[in-house]
Amino acid sequence: MSALFDILLSATFWAAAVRIASPLIFATMGELICERAGVLNLGIEGIMAIGAFSGWIAVWAGAGLWEGVAIAMATGMLFGLLHAVLVVPFGLSQHVVGLGVTLLATSTSYFAYRLILPEVTSPPRIEPFAVWEVPGLSQIPLLGPALFAQTPLTYAAFAVAALTALVLWRTPLGLALRAAGENPAAVDAQGLSVTGLRIGAVMVGSGLMAVGGAFLTLSAFSSFFFEMVNGRGWICIALVVFGAWRPGKAVLGALLFAAFDALQVRLQQTPAGQVVPYQLFLMAPYALSIAALVLMSRRAEVPAALMQPFNRGER
């Protein structure tokens, strides 16, 4: 127990938790935007993978770091457009299309990697985003290193979450998007295009998912390797439910999962880690997240028109 308290009172632990949560926040906000508009985007896992690859390969080829982020976002939006066109105007199964996009995007990133770097045995490294300490604030005990000594993409993740909440609940555009996921017929009656709103939401959301993937290569690991997304996309779908489709709660869920993940890594280095199989530590964040999801999702209100195609003139 003393080792556990030492970990929880460590600034490095909370800094790691915030860092681990950052790509989850990007992707969770993207998924939340899609679902608020009525579209379940199961392509998130593959879109994160293609975002991680495209941003990394662009920087490796000579682009700047922020240019790599922009390229990753544009790539994600292209796959989002493919997903949206198939499920919104054509009304195909959102489950099937989403899984197909995941397979396509993941396979495309792996194929492009082998095509561009056929002889490379280990992925080349790039110079990632450096930590930027906020003057004064980064010196605050415990909270300073955790919140104010991170890379620019981490600050951008929290800014995106705040902007998402602002747009969805404080602007006419956000009201229209939420209405498209609750009562699309009412949106159509106001002369707005449900198809346009949903396609736009999926494209923007997919772009944010890709930026979440790019965080892994441009801010965390500095290189691309297969399976680096490692199920983070599916976790983000669960975080949307955990957060009851609200950005603030979803961010708290991402931080909670990240804290569990950072904790299990450190617990493996304690005396208990010499006795307990490491697989149990690896499993712990997911098991605890499932338990929290079950408890929190009982009162969650699902968007009424989620996964329901809209055809103008039909009831």
Side-chain angles (χ1 to χ4, degrees), residues 102-294:
T102 281
L103 293 174
L104 175 63
T106 303
S107 301
T108 299
S109 63
Y110 295 171
F111 174 74
Y113 178 91
R114 292 302 186 191
L115 187 66
I116 297 171
L117 302 168
E119 305 295 333
V120 174
T121 56
S122 60
R125 293 186 174 274
I126 61 171
E127 188 65 31
F129 281 102
V131 172
W132 183 65
E133 297 184 0
V134 179
L137 296 178
S138 62
Q139 306 303 317
I140 299 174
L142 191 62
L143 291 180
L147 298 178
F148 304 109
Q150 299 285 351
T151 64
L153 275 185
T154 293
Y155 302 131
F158 287 93
V160 163
L163 181 62
T164 300
L166 177 66
V167 171
L168 286 178
W169 270 271
R170 292 292 185 269
T171 67
L173 174 60
L175 177 61
L177 282 175
R178 288 187 288 120
E182 295 285 351
N183 190 350
V187 176
D188 182 67
Q190 293 296 317
L192 300 175
S193 171
V194 176
T195 298
L197 286 168
R198 287 184 169 181
I199 290 177
V202 174
M203 290 183 66
V204 171
S206 298
L208 292 177
M209 296 171 193
V211 174
F215 181 97
L216 300 175
T217 50
L218 303 184
S219 190
F221 300 119
S222 73
S223 62
F224 175 83
F225 53 89
F226 300 152
E227 307 298 337
M228 73 181 310
V229 176
N230 196 29
R232 287 180 175 86
W234 311 125
I235 289 295
C236 292
I237 294 175
L239 289 175
V240 173
V241 181
F242 176 88
W245 288 269
R246 292 184 174 274
K249 292 182 179 180
V251 169
L252 291 178
L255 289 170
L256 180 64
F257 175 83
F260 288 153
D261 198 11
L263 181 62
Q264 65 88 12
V265 172
R266 284 156 177 77
L267 287 177
Q268 290 186 52
Q269 301 168 5
T270 64
Q274 308 300 319
V275 180
V276 180
Y278 75 92
Q279 291 90 346
L280 292 178
F281 289 108
L282 294 175
M283 179 185 70
Y286 299 93
L288 292 172
S289 297
I290 290 173
L293 177 64
V294 171

